[in-house]
Amino acid sequence: MPQKGIVPEDPRSSSVALCDTATGATAQCETDPVENIFEQNLKIKFYISSGSTSPSSHSGDEADPVKIVDSAHLPVHTPTIKRKECHSSILFPTKSKSHRFFLTSFTAPTKCHQCTSLMVGLIRQGCACDACGFSCHTTCVEKAPRACPVPSQQKKGALCLDAQEGIGTAYEGHVWIPKKAGLKKGWQRALAIVCDFKLFLYNMDEEKDSKPNVVVSQVIDMRDGAFSVSSVWPSDFIPARRKEMPRMFKVTASQLSAPSNQYSVPILADSENDKCEWVGVLSDLHKMLRKSHSRDRSVYVLKEAYDSSLPLIKTTQTAAIIDHKRIALGNEEGLFVVHVTIDEIIRVGDMKKIHQIELIPHGQMVAVISGRSHHVQLFPMSALDGRKTDIHKLAETKGCQTMTSGTVCQGAHTCLCVARKSQVFCYELFQSKKISHRKFKKLQIPTNVQCMAIFSEELCVGFQSGFLRYPLRREGIPYRMLHSHDPTLSFIAHQPMDALCAIEISSIEYLLCFKSIGIYTDSRGLRSRPIELMWLATPTYCCYNAPYLSVYSENAVDIFNVNSMDWIQTVPLKKVRPLNSEGSLNILPSETIRLIYFKNKMTYGDELVFPETSDNRQKQMVRHLHSKRRYSFRVPRGKGGPPAGL
């Protein structure tokens, strides 16, 4: 269950710090109060306590808070999907003792023995008692029965759903789903679990005794307004064998896909009776949800940003929203501005191979990484209107992989930071008659830079298994965003993982997103929340549009509220890729490559106007007579009539 964050005291109002940059120090301080505290007790244990406990969780007098041991070398448990309960008519008295919980990385889908919900995540999904094997979420530890082993009368069944809270597992079993290449290529064995009013599907190997891994293949939310379940009929035109039809059913949910805004997942049961059970359970749960008027928590509605027949979209690598009527597209051919309401297109400059677009509104500039040599080039925003202008090239950025921009000195100066392998160049940008720049810093990062962002006049740099914050206004050593003496964070060094992004939650708290997990830390680099953010599948990208984090994987985009830590939505788009850092513009490589806009339902007004889209293949980019850089996207004259014979 999600838990509110634990907000620490403001460290900047105390004497605790990792370094002293006020005097321009370039070495570690001799006395560090934080490190001294940890050095006094390096075997510190990680305690998780909850203010609420269930009445059944105590077998006697009030006990001490349950201890959860967090160490770098965690035991790996591989529990079975269903635990058989053994009953005996003879009861032997056992010595009452407390659980000894270890934070554990499970290797197969595992349900919490306390709430029966799945413990989703790639690593460290929950806790397990090393004495009796009782497993649960870290948030369920204080609610768990205290006796070890748990008395049989206090054990919950494998299937137990709290309908009011919407928590727990209602049904599970093995089914068959279409292979990645489609149903024409055959069926893939899968484990299906109905949990928290969602249908989870886990791929399995075809070997008899194989177990699924923890990566979720698909998630379908029953709160989806378009959710339905029904048998499959020949009129559904699903390419399956006729003899399989009696065992098939389909689950339908919403997704952007022409010509419909819904999609269906065909599922094959082992028998016709199994199919009837699945359809009955899912239908009953959906009716239960509708009667309870469960709130749809989804944030994004998917829109097609422009006609998919525009040739530029097929090779688009990056994009940016200029204003509510214009978008910039970067591809192999160059940089183009599309006016979505009047179907006009402007080519900007003669650049080729655009890899990244960075709008710098404070400095009225645009920066792009372009060409085979990956150089940064700058030009004024007026060039986006089609005006002829000079391009300012940063020569020493050759071979760069990413960049980020922001302001320093309370917005007085515009800053651009460019990463090239393990180096970062920091520039101050100036705009008068011509663009000019001044390099004021060159930073050496421990290893290759994987992501960057500017927070409160500091540059945050992410690399494998670490993040550093570098002061931009003054000299000084970087702040470690993962304190080396916090034992609850030591697992990151022992399990090297790529850095995806960092998010500034507040002036005293950050979310650090790695390939396997999300960690909340304070400004000293110490853990700020005991609970970690869990991914359902291996992420490929992370994008942030406050307060929502979009985590992209092969089969879907999962949306999290970073403040409450709630997983609020799953967008079931396969192999979708973000084109900008906010994740608002995306490319969907389906049969027809589409430009998708994630519209936030919670905001007033539209960030982007949505034109009427069509798949009219007769529309073309027609060059203007008086300009080589302007195009209209329309049906050429003489080709707009109906085909002959109609």
Side-chain angles (χ1 to χ4, degrees):
M1 291 177 61
Q3 178 172 321
K4 299 293 182 182
I6 300 173
V7 181
E9 294 181 5
D10 188 348
R12 299 180 187 187
S13 63
S14 67
S15 60
V16 178
L18 292 183
C19 61
D20 182 9
T21 56
T23 58
T26 58
Q28 181 69 34
C29 299
E30 293 182 5
T31 58
D32 186 341
V34 175
E35 293 192 0
N36 289 342
I37 292 171
F38 280 103
E39 285 170 3
Q40 291 171 11
N41 183 13
L42 293 179
K43 295 182 179 180
I44 185 171
K45 292 181 179 179
F46 179 30
Y47 292 84
I48 296 181
S49 60
S50 173
S52 61
T53 55
S54 62
S56 62
S57 60
H58 299 277
S59 57
D61 296 332
E62 191 71 24
D64 293 333
V66 179
K67 295 178 181 178
I68 300 176
V69 181
D70 190 1
S71 61
H73 306 287
L74 295 171
V76 176
H77 294 248
T78 309
T80 55
I81 300 304
K82 288 190 177 181
R83 298 174 62 89
K84 294 183 179 179
E85 297 179 6
C86 299
H87 300 278
S88 174
S89 57
I90 303 175
L91 298 177
F92 295 95
T94 58
K95 184 180 179 181
S96 178
K97 61 178 181 179
S98 298
H99 295 292
R100 205 165 81 100
F101 284 112
F102 278 82
L103 271 170
T104 305
S105 292
F106 299 100
T107 59
T110 307
K111 296 191 295 293
C112 173
H113 292 162
Q114 175 60 27
C115 70
T116 78
S117 285
L118 280 166
M119 291 187 281
V120 296
L122 304 179
I123 60 172
R124 297 164 60 89
Q125 302 94 331
C127 303
C129 175
D130 65 346
C132 71
F134 186 92
S135 304
C136 63
H137 295 100
T138 53
T139 51
C140 290
V141 164
E142 285 296 323
K143 304 171 190 175
R146 294 300 173 91
C148 176
V150 177
S152 58
Q153 67 270 20
Q154 292 188 9
K155 288 183 179 179
K156 290 188 178 180
L159 304 177
C160 181
L161 174 67
D162 184 336
Q164 287 187 338
E165 295 293 331
I167 295 170
T169 299
Y171 200 70
E172 67 179 281
H174 293 97
V175 296
W176 300 84
I177 59 176
K179 287 186 174 180
K180 285 184 180 180
L183 188 52
K184 291 182 180 179
K185 298 295 182 180
W187 296 96
Q188 161 83 50
R189 191 70 164 159
L191 172 68
I193 302 178
V194 184
C195 174
D196 300 350
F197 288 108
K198 296 183 179 77
L199 175 61
F200 291 79
L201 296 170
Y202 294 88
N203 288 346
M204 298 178 65
D205 293 332
E206 295 185 7
E207 298 175 8
K208 187 176 180 181
D209 297 325
S210 68
K211 294 178 182 178
N213 63 26
V214 294
V215 176
V216 181
S217 172
Q218 293 184 64
V219 178
I220 302 172
D221 196 336
M222 293 186 187
R223 296 172 182 83
D224 189 316
F227 180 87
S228 67
V229 58
S230 63
S231 297
V232 169
W233 306 102
S235 58
D236 291 321
F237 299 107
I238 294 177
R241 298 174 185 173
R242 197 170 190 84
K243 65 179 182 180
E244 293 174 341
M245 287 284 182
R247 295 188 286 134
M248 287 178 62
F249 63 99
K250 64 178 181 179
V251 177
T252 302
S254 63
Q255 175 187 6
L256 183 118
S257 58
S260 171
N261 63 351
Q262 299 179 1
Y263 84 117
S264 296
V265 178
I267 299 176
L268 179 67
D270 287 333
S271 67
E272 193 170 350
N273 286 338
D274 285 352
K275 180 205 77 170
C276 293
E277 282 194 35
W278 275 107
V279 172
V281 167
L282 292 173
S283 297
D284 290 345
L285 287 171
H286 190 228
K287 288 177 185 175
M288 190 186 302
L289 261 181
R290 283 167 36 182
K291 284 182 180 178
S292 66
H293 303 289
S294 179
R295 182 174 60 91
D296 178 13
R297 299 191 302 168
S298 63
V299 173
Y300 291 119
V301 176
L302 278 59
K303 300 284 186 180
E304 193 157 9
Y306 199 68
D307 277 352
S308 59
S309 55
L310 179 67
L312 298 175
I313 291 176
K314 294 180 181 178
T315 58
T316 294
Q317 297 297 313
T318 181
I321 297 175
I322 302 168
D323 52 44
H324 69 290
K325 293 183 179 180
R326 295 183 300 162
I327 55 177
L329 301 179
N331 62 12
E332 292 286 318
E333 300 301 317
L335 179 63
F336 298 85
V337 174
V338 180
H339 201 303
V340 297
T341 57
I342 59 176
D343 294 329
E344 284 203 352
I345 300 165
I346 298 171
R347 178 168 184 171
V348 180
D350 297 315
M351 299 169 287
K352 295 278 189 177
K353 293 184 180 292
I354 307 298
H355 307 285
Q356 183 181 345
I357 303 170
E358 181 79 12
L359 300 182
I360 311 174
H362 184 268
Q364 286 296 297
M365 289 177 248
V366 181
V368 298
I369 297 177
S370 65
R372 292 181 181 177
S373 57
H374 285 240
H375 269 104
V376 172
Q377 302 198 63
L378 298 162
F379 51 88
M381 275 197 171
S382 58
L384 301 177
D385 300 325
R387 302 177 198 175
K388 190 175 181 180
T389 185
D390 293 330
I391 304 294
H392 186 76
K393 188 174 183 178
L394 302 182
E396 62 185 329
T397 60
K398 180 180 179 180
C400 66
Q401 66 261 33
T402 188
M403 61 181 170
T404 188
S405 64
T407 59
V408 294
C409 299
Q410 298 180 339
H413 303 285
T414 302
C415 177
L416 179 69
C417 298
V418 183
R420 187 185 68 188
K421 296 183 179 179
S422 61
Q423 294 180 324
V424 176
F425 303 104
C426 301
Y427 302 95
E428 185 179 355
L429 304 181
F430 307 95
Q431 167 83 302
S432 52
K433 291 184 179 180
K434 287 186 176 182
I435 293 176
S436 60
H437 71 277
R438 177 182 70 87
K439 185 176 75 174
F440 64 91
K441 271 194 180 184
K442 179 180 176 181
L443 306 174
Q444 184 63 49
I445 314 302
T447 183
N448 284 355
V449 175
Q450 294 179 326
C451 59
M452 291 193 305
I454 293 178
F455 300 146
S456 304
E457 305 194 353
E458 293 177 329
L459 175 65
C460 172
V461 180
F463 47 91
Q464 191 178 64
S465 297
F467 283 89
L468 292 171
R469 291 192 344 261
Y470 291 84
L472 290 175
R473 290 177 57 187
R474 59 185 184 275
E475 295 300 321
I477 65 172
Y479 296 90
R480 290 173 297 189
M481 300 185 74
L482 292 165
H483 202 295
S484 59
H485 286 180
D486 186 337
T488 72
L489 301 175
S490 61
F491 73 95
I492 296 175
H494 289 85
Q495 301 176 24
M497 53 187 78
D498 290 342
L500 295 176
C501 75
I503 296 165
E504 187 177 32
I505 306 295
S506 69
S507 61
I508 57 173
E509 189 177 34
Y510 302 91
L511 170 60
L512 309 181
C513 297
F514 292 96
K515 196 99 173 182
S516 300
I517 206 164
I519 306 288
Y520 287 83
T521 64
D522 63 20
S523 57
R524 300 166 295 176
L526 306 178
R527 182 186 289 273
S528 62
R529 305 190 190 191
I531 312 303
E532 293 153 350
L533 215 50
M534 297 290 171
W535 316 141
L536 283 83
T538 305
T540 50
Y541 308 95
C542 280
C543 295
Y544 181 62
N545 196 352
Y548 304 111
L549 174 70
S550 300
V551 181
Y552 293 71
S553 59
E554 184 179 6
N555 292 320
V557 184
D558 297 306
I559 315 298
F560 298 86
N561 184 317
V562 300
N563 295 323
S564 65
M565 300 182 68
D566 288 339
W567 165 34
I568 55 177
Q569 185 179 5
T570 290
V571 180
L573 294 180
K574 293 187 177 182
K575 297 182 179 179
V576 66
R577 179 172 57 84
L579 298 174
N580 58 350
S581 60
E582 298 84 11
S584 54
L585 288 174
N586 301 268
I587 200 79
L588 178 62
S590 56
E591 292 181 6
T592 301
I593 298 175
R594 299 184 182 279
L595 182 64
I596 308 300
Y597 176 71
F598 283 16
K599 181 184 182 301
N600 190 336
K601 296 190 300 184
M602 307 301 173
T603 57
Y604 294 101
D606 290 328
E607 185 184 13
L608 189 65
V609 173
F610 307 106
E612 290 292 330
T613 59
S614 68
D615 285 329
N616 189 342
R617 298 298 167 187
Q618 291 186 327
K619 293 177 76 172
Q620 298 176 12
M621 286 178 62
V622 180
R623 183 175 290 172
H624 283 207
L625 293 175
H626 305 294
S627 175
K628 294 181 179 180
R629 297 188 180 277
R630 292 182 179 269
Y631 301 82
S632 291
F633 187 57
R634 57 181 171 81
V635 177
R637 292 191 181 98
K639 294 187 179 182
L646 293 181

